[in-house]
Amino acid sequence: MLTESFSGIRGIFNKDLTKEVIENYALSYASFLKNKKPNPLVILGMDTRPSSPIIKEYMKKIFLRQGIDVHDVGFNTTPSIQHGVRHYNADGGVIISASHNEPMWNGWKFLRETGSVLKPEEIKEVIENSKSPENPDSKTRGKSEDRGSELRNAYVDFIMEMIGEKGIIAIQDAKLKVVVDPNGGAAATVIRDILEKLNIRIVEKNMELGVFNRLVEPNEKSLAYLAYYVEDLDADIGAGWDCDGDRVELVIPNSSEFSKKRGRMLSGHYILGLIVEAILSEYDGNNKYVVVNDATSDLIKDIAQKHDAETVEVEVGEINVVEKMEELNAPVGGEGSSSGGITPPSRCRDGILSLVQILHLMAKRKQRITEILEEFPEYYNERAAIECNPDIAVKIKEKLKEYWENQEHIKEIRTTGDETGGLKIIRKPTKEGPGWIWYRASKTEKGKFRIISDAKQREYADKLLGMGEKAFNDCVTDVELESVDAYLEKE
């Protein structure tokens, strides 16, 4: 099934993503850009899945016929391609990737001149116009230049600039050891160069581009083997990326109370927590804001409060976080629910920058990662994805809101976005501590409704998730019965 949302376009190549679909989207995006500027420049890059070069060539052909100049940057990470838009003062960009989906999937994201993905109203326009694009070829053909190697070098320089000279020296002096697994994805194009510049002792796994030896999504199952290397080689950390390199998952040493309690795989919320700690501990500006999505653990709020910073919540979606960060001039933000930290001038999650920022924090404090984590408050985050008819998703959300409004011990009910956005049920503190339940119909996986709970005790987080699932199932039943009743009345 072709998925079209503000997060991008995604489907199975040669099934959902046909040549016609690919070319129509390229035509629609070309029209979008040319409405702003007659002869735009586009950065065109991709991840390493087998269909990416084919899609790239289809799109490039259309752009050139439309009179659009193309900097073809080939295999590069999503953060690198987004950096490329700013680096080359381009008018837009295309990232060909299906992120964490398996290799038979692919897709693309369209970028703004800032390097961020299109705003919801902009991608809506591109999606609608892709259904019947009518763009005559330009009288002047666009020019194509290969800039892949040049951009990779520029991105390495960008990472060094973000850390700064003092940070580079601190990391170099720490002589850290890291096990890396890009799984043949785009992160393999730059990770060695970056870590070698930082004097990191690197243990490399799965570095051959386009060869996927594990599941593309880095998670507890696909990265379980890294725990053995981290332990046996006395490494400081293990890191695994998805196919486009915007998401990193970390495996920590098994030598602390933290890892004994929580396991070896570090949750995305704690990864974001480390990044927030790293940024705010050095930030001396006036705009002390941390912007997160509404599915992010309260862990981040606690860390922000320690640094006298305010946490602002928005609807799930990278562009929502980025837009609010720009509005507030916030120094850091991200989505703990999807393992991502965002640090300006970046306009996206960056799995490589996140790793380097965490290494900098470790080096600066002369602490192991587990020692830093043990100083953080404890939070537990549980989740479920339930199959749901997408046609009734909005009604279910409305029914859930009504359901929880009639329950006891509710402190606050929050909503974000429009009728399809998030619904957050914040319970009054109990002897088990504070906690909340969150709902949202997935916009990247049609037919799935996501439920997340967050609490300071694992047992309470499990309990809240169970309560959330029960409420959801009850509301689905009510909505379905109402639909049957309405049908019978018509008959």
Side-chain angles (χ1 to χ4, degrees):
M1 180 184 294
L2 184 66
T3 299
E4 301 164 295
S5 74
F6 66 77
S7 297
I9 314 305
R10 201 170 293 186
I12 295 176
F13 181 68
N14 265 345
K15 180 181 177 184
D16 310 309
L17 304 181
T18 62
K19 184 172 185 283
E20 181 182 12
V21 168
I22 296 164
E23 291 183 340
N24 283 350
Y25 261 103
L27 284 168
S28 181
Y29 184 56
S31 177
F32 172 82
L33 292 175
K34 291 170 71 175
N35 284 337
K36 297 182 176 184
K37 184 177 179 180
N39 303 107
L41 168 64
V42 164
I43 308 302
L44 181 60
M46 59 185 173
D47 71 12
T48 61
R49 53 190 81 226
S51 58
S52 292
I54 301 171
I55 295 173
K56 185 195 74 170
E57 291 304 316
Y58 286 159
M59 285 194 168
K60 182 160 71 170
K61 179 181 69 174
I62 294 296
F63 291 148
L64 296 178
R65 280 172 29 192
Q66 289 291 305
I68 294 175
D69 291 336
V70 175
H71 281 2
D72 184 342
V73 297
F75 295 133
N76 257 291
T77 66
T78 281
S80 179
I81 297 166
Q82 293 196 331
H83 174 68
V85 173
R86 297 185 294 274
H87 180 72
Y88 293 113
N89 294 315
D91 303 288
V94 184
I95 301 166
I96 299 167
S97 174
S99 190
H100 63 275
N101 290 113
E102 290 308 298
M104 73 284 291
W105 289 76
N106 216 324
W108 49 83
K109 294 179 181 180
F110 295 120
L111 305 180
R112 307 181 75 239
E113 70 279 0
T114 62
S116 73
V117 296
L118 297 185
K119 295 180 179 181
E121 62 270 21
E122 293 171 331
I123 188 60
K124 181 181 178 184
E125 176 187 335
V126 172
I127 290 171
E128 290 175 351
N129 291 341
S130 74
K131 308 311 173 189
S132 54
E134 296 179 359
N135 299 33
D137 288 350
S138 173
K139 293 180 181 178
T140 306
R141 184 177 173 84
K143 299 176 183 177
S144 176
E145 297 181 18
D146 292 335
R147 297 291 185 98
S149 178
E150 182 178 271
L151 177 57
R152 287 189 286 274
N153 290 334
Y155 175 73
V156 172
D157 291 341
F158 166 72
I159 295 293
M160 298 302 132
E161 290 168 9
M162 289 293 287
I163 299 302
E165 186 177 351
K166 288 184 179 178
I168 292 170
I169 293 171
I171 298 173
Q172 289 173 337
D173 290 345
K175 295 182 172 60
L176 299 168
K177 182 186 286 189
V178 179
V179 184
V180 299
D181 176 9
N183 192 37
T189 62
V190 290
I191 190 61
R192 179 185 296 148
D193 289 344
I194 289 169
L195 295 186
E196 284 182 347
K197 282 181 178 287
L198 296 171
N199 196 31
I200 300 293
R201 293 172 291 163
I202 315 167
V203 180
E204 297 177 346
K205 301 293 174 185
N206 301 325
M207 291 288 287
E208 186 177 352
L209 295 183
V211 178
F212 309 111
N213 291 319
R214 59 165 170 82
L215 293 173
V216 172
E217 181 176 8
N219 56 34
E220 192 167 3
K221 179 180 178 181
S222 63
L223 296 181
Y225 84 96
L226 274 188
Y228 298 103
Y229 284 101
V230 170
E231 204 65 34
D232 292 347
L233 300 174
D234 194 27
D236 293 281
I237 202 167
W241 289 265
D242 58 0
C243 202
D244 65 328
D246 66 344
R247 173 178 167 186
V248 67
E249 298 289 350
L250 301 180
V251 176
I252 60 177
N254 190 29
S255 56
S256 70
E257 287 302 314
F258 184 93
S259 56
K260 289 173 184 175
K261 279 184 181 179
R262 311 186 67 94
R264 307 290 298 281
M265 178 70 99
L266 195 59
S267 84
H269 303 280
Y270 275 91
I271 291 173
L272 179 56
L274 288 164
I275 295 164
V276 170
E277 176 70 20
I279 298 300
L280 292 184
S281 63
E282 294 190 338
Y283 182 70
D284 57 3
N286 296 321
N287 301 301
K288 279 201 167 183
Y289 295 102
V290 179
V291 180
V292 298
N293 70 24
D294 58 340
T296 295
S297 172
D298 282 352
L299 166 73
I300 306 305
K301 186 184 298 182
D302 284 4
I303 294 172
Q305 284 177 346
K306 183 180 75 171
H307 295 284
D308 299 319
E310 180 182 345
T311 303
V312 179
E313 290 186 353
V314 297
E315 184 186 1
V316 166
E318 188 175 84
I319 185 59
N320 297 321
V321 175
V322 168
E323 281 196 282
K324 182 58 72 171
M325 288 180 67
E326 289 176 347
E327 177 188 327
L328 299 174
N329 196 24
V332 65
E335 299 188 278
S337 57
S338 53
S339 294
I342 302 171
T343 310
S346 285
R347 298 292 194 277
C348 68
R349 295 177 300 170
D350 188 334
I352 291 174
L353 177 59
S354 294
L355 172 63
V356 174
Q357 288 171 324
I358 291 168
L359 294 175
H360 180 204
L361 182 65
M362 294 164 59
K364 181 177 65 174
R365 296 193 176 177
K366 296 181 172 59
Q367 288 180 298
R368 294 176 69 87
I369 188 171
T370 48
E371 292 173 331
I372 299 172
L373 291 167
E374 284 168 358
E375 297 172 359
F376 287 176
E378 284 191 40
Y379 275 91
Y380 294 88
N381 200 266
E382 302 296 335
R383 60 176 60 203
I386 300 179
E387 297 294 330
C388 169
N389 180 351
D391 296 333
I392 62 172
V394 171
K395 288 184 179 179
I396 291 173
K397 180 186 171 183
E398 293 171 354
K399 187 67 69 173
L400 280 165
K401 190 170 183 292
E402 291 175 12
Y403 175 95
W404 286 108
E405 285 172 343
N406 293 312
Q407 302 301 308
E408 296 181 346
H409 309 300
I410 304 302
K411 178 182 178 182
E412 183 183 354
I413 295 177
R414 292 181 193 166
T415 59
T416 52
D418 59 15
E419 61 184 8
T420 65
L423 174 66
K424 192 170 188 176
I425 315 301
I426 303 171
R427 288 174 60 81
K428 293 177 181 177
T430 68
K431 62 181 180 181
E432 298 166 296
W436 49 255
I437 304 165
W438 176 89
Y439 298 94
R440 184 173 178 267
S442 174
K443 296 185 181 181
T444 56
E445 295 180 76
K446 289 182 180 179
K448 285 192 176 180
F449 220 100
R450 302 198 185 282
I451 307 174
I452 295 176
S453 68
D454 187 72
K456 285 195 167 186
Q457 294 184 33
R458 187 191 299 275
E459 294 79 8
Y460 191 35
D462 289 338
K463 178 181 175 181
L464 289 175
L465 184 63
M467 292 167 63
E469 289 179 295
K470 181 183 182 303
F472 179 83
N473 291 328
D474 289 348
C475 290
V476 169
T477 300
D478 288 347
V479 170
E480 289 174 343
L481 287 174
E482 288 173 3
S483 298
V484 171
D485 290 343
Y487 174 78
L488 292 175
E489 284 180 11
K490 287 182 180 180
E491 291 296 308

